[in-house]
């Protein structure tokens, strides 16, 4: 199995967006690197068309370096093969990169590419149960990911996205399939130069808010798990999404146990409370 992580940098983001970097990392399912590179691309635009802010504050190379390189059509066959030969495609805020890629395909009159892709940013939002977007660097700081390189170098950003996904996979002890199943908002499809948000296309009525669900649950005062009295239990939000009835039963177990949702740090697979307590629950006084 192969995963592709890619990131783009642009000379400008006007109509007909122009790519000047295509950075990528290909790994196996263990996140061992198979291949990595950063294509430095001549955007084939006039000097006045460069985005001055981007050139002075974002890009890590001078304009002359980009203009001395090959144009997008030189790299296209490799980019196409990368996309077509992997099993999963990821990136941070990758929907913007796919928009840019589609614009460049149109610029050169190439046929549209069709592929599914997943946004690591949205996976993180599900992981933390929050709606606010978070930057690549902020997530890396939280996960204490150290990587040599320059922010906004396309290869560096691709590597950061890969390491962040690996962190969440390892920390939650899930397979990639299990994680993506729990993060439907992360999946998109690119087709006919456009992309489809699966969450919107296949949206279903939301379950009632979990806090309300818990609030109406009566506590079982006869529960015998006194070892947990006075403790605070953190249940991972992803667990409550996938196993709502099991999570509800946990709330019933013991009077005096505080249930904090959805601030957990560990995903749970077991149904019964004993194995949950012994193996997966994070407890604090």
């Amino acid at each position: 199995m192969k995963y592709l992580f890619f990131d783009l940098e642009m000379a400008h983001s006007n109509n007909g967006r122009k790519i000047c970097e295509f950075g990528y990392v290909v790994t196996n399912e263990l996140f061992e690197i198979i291949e990595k590179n950063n294509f430095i691309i001549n955007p084939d635009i006039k000097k006045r068309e460069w985005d001055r802010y981007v050139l002075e504050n974002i890009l890590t190379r001078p304009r002359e370096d980009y203009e001395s390189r090959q144009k997008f059509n030189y790299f296209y066959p490799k980019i196409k093969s990368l996309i077509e030969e992997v099993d999963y495609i990821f990136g941070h805020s990758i929907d913007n990169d796919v928009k840019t890629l589609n614009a460049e395909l149109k610029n050169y009159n190439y046929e549209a590419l069709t592929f599914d892709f997943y946004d690591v940013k949205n996976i993180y939002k599900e992981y933390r149960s929050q709606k606010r977007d978070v930057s690549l660097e902020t997530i890396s700081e939280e996960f204490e990911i150290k990587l040599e390189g320059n922010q906004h170098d396309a290869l560096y950003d691709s590597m950061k996205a890969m390491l962040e996904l690996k962190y969440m996979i390892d920390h939650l002890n899930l397979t990639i399939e299990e994680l993506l199943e729990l993060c439907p908002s992360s999946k998109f499809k690119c087709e006919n130069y456009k992309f489809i948000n699966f969450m919107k296309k296949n949206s279903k009525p939301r379950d009632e808010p979990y806090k309300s669900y818990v609030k109406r649950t009566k506590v079982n005062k006869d529960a015998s798990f006194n070892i947990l009295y006075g403790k605070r239990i953190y249940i991972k939000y992803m667990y409550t999404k996938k196993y709502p009835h099991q999570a509800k039963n946990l709330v019933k177990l013991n009077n005096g146990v505080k249930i904090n949702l959805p601030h957990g740090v560990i995903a749970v697979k077991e149904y019964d409370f004993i194995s949950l307590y012994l193996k997966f629950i994070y407890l604090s006084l």
Side-chain angles (χ1 to χ4, degrees):
M1 188 174 292
K2 291 183 179 180
Y3 305 157
L4 169 65
F5 300 81
F6 77 82
D7 180 79
L8 305 182
E9 297 298 334
M10 292 173 283
H12 70 65
S13 57
N14 302 325
N15 292 334
R17 304 173 180 210
K18 302 297 293 185
I19 299 172
C20 61
E21 292 186 32
F22 183 100
Y24 70 91
V25 184
V26 178
T27 77
N28 60 19
E29 65 274 15
L30 299 177
F31 293 91
E32 297 169 335
I33 296 175
I34 298 171
E35 180 183 350
K36 63 180 180 179
N37 206 339
N38 190 3
F39 299 147
I40 309 304
I41 301 172
N42 180 352
D44 194 23
I45 59 176
K46 297 178 181 179
K47 182 178 178 180
R48 60 181 171 80
E49 294 180 288
W50 282 84
D51 185 316
R52 184 174 178 179
Y53 177 84
V54 167
L55 199 57
E56 294 178 355
N57 299 279
I58 303 296
L59 298 178
T60 61
R61 296 168 174 82
R63 175 177 55 82
E64 293 78 11
D65 194 355
Y66 296 103
E67 292 178 338
S68 67
R69 305 301 182 98
Q70 297 284 354
K71 299 176 184 178
F72 177 81
N73 58 343
Y74 175 84
F75 299 101
Y76 168 73
K78 177 61 176 178
I79 292 173
K80 182 174 184 290
S81 67
L82 284 169
I83 289 172
E84 293 179 341
E85 294 174 5
V86 298
D87 300 285
Y88 290 100
I89 298 174
F90 301 96
H92 184 94
S93 295
I94 190 175
D95 54 334
N96 290 322
D97 292 328
V98 171
K99 287 179 183 178
T100 301
L101 179 60
N102 284 332
E104 201 71 283
L105 293 176
K106 287 183 178 180
N107 291 338
Y108 283 86
N109 296 315
Y110 289 126
E111 291 184 1
L113 296 174
T114 300
F115 57 94
D116 293 346
F117 61 97
Y118 299 84
D119 195 332
V120 174
K121 177 188 68 180
N122 287 0
I123 294 174
Y124 173 82
K125 288 162 69 175
E126 294 275 4
Y127 174 78
R128 285 298 183 216
S129 183
Q130 65 182 45
K131 295 181 179 180
R132 179 175 57 89
D133 287 346
V134 182
S135 72
L136 188 72
E137 288 302 310
T138 299
I139 298 172
S140 289
E141 289 176 7
E142 178 186 334
F143 292 168
E144 298 183 347
I145 293 172
K146 307 297 182 183
L147 181 68
E148 291 186 7
N150 296 315
Q151 184 180 0
H152 296 305
D153 174 272
L155 174 57
Y156 174 89
D157 288 352
S158 299
M159 290 285 293
K160 278 288 184 77
M162 180 270 289
L163 292 171
E164 289 172 3
L165 183 62
K166 181 180 185 300
Y167 178 96
M168 290 184 280
I169 288 283
D170 292 345
H171 194 64
L172 297 172
N173 192 28
L174 298 174
T175 65
I176 191 67
E177 292 81 8
E178 290 171 332
L179 180 63
L180 295 179
E181 181 184 351
L182 292 170
C183 302
S185 66
S186 69
K187 185 176 182 181
F188 300 82
K189 185 179 186 67
C190 179
E191 190 173 34
N192 295 325
Y193 303 108
K194 299 179 181 179
F195 67 86
I196 302 165
N197 184 328
F198 278 85
M199 190 69 172
K200 292 181 179 179
K201 182 180 178 182
N202 301 318
S203 60
K204 297 179 181 179
R206 287 182 173 271
D207 294 334
E208 61 180 322
Y210 191 76
K211 287 185 178 179
S212 174
Y213 186 59
V214 171
K215 188 175 182 180
R216 299 196 308 274
T217 300
K218 294 182 179 179
V219 174
N220 181 0
K221 296 183 179 181
D222 297 326
S224 59
F225 297 100
N226 294 325
I227 190 172
L228 297 179
Y229 185 85
K231 302 281 188 176
R232 178 175 289 120
I233 299 178
Y234 295 83
I235 302 179
K236 182 59 197 165
Y237 174 67
M238 290 180 180
Y239 175 77
T240 68
K241 284 182 65 177
K242 192 167 185 179
Y243 307 117
H245 297 293
Q246 288 80 3
K248 180 180 178 182
N249 289 335
L250 293 180
V251 179
K252 290 182 176 181
L253 281 171
N254 196 346
N255 188 20
V257 175
K258 297 179 180 179
I259 308 294
N260 284 59
L261 300 167
H263 305 298
V265 293
I266 296 179
V268 184
K269 293 182 181 180
E270 270 70 3
Y271 291 175
D272 97 79
F273 182 73
I274 295 295
S275 59
L276 182 67
Y277 168 68
L278 292 177
K279 296 181 180 179
F280 292 98
I281 263 324
Y282 172 78
L283 300 175
S284 67
L285 291 173

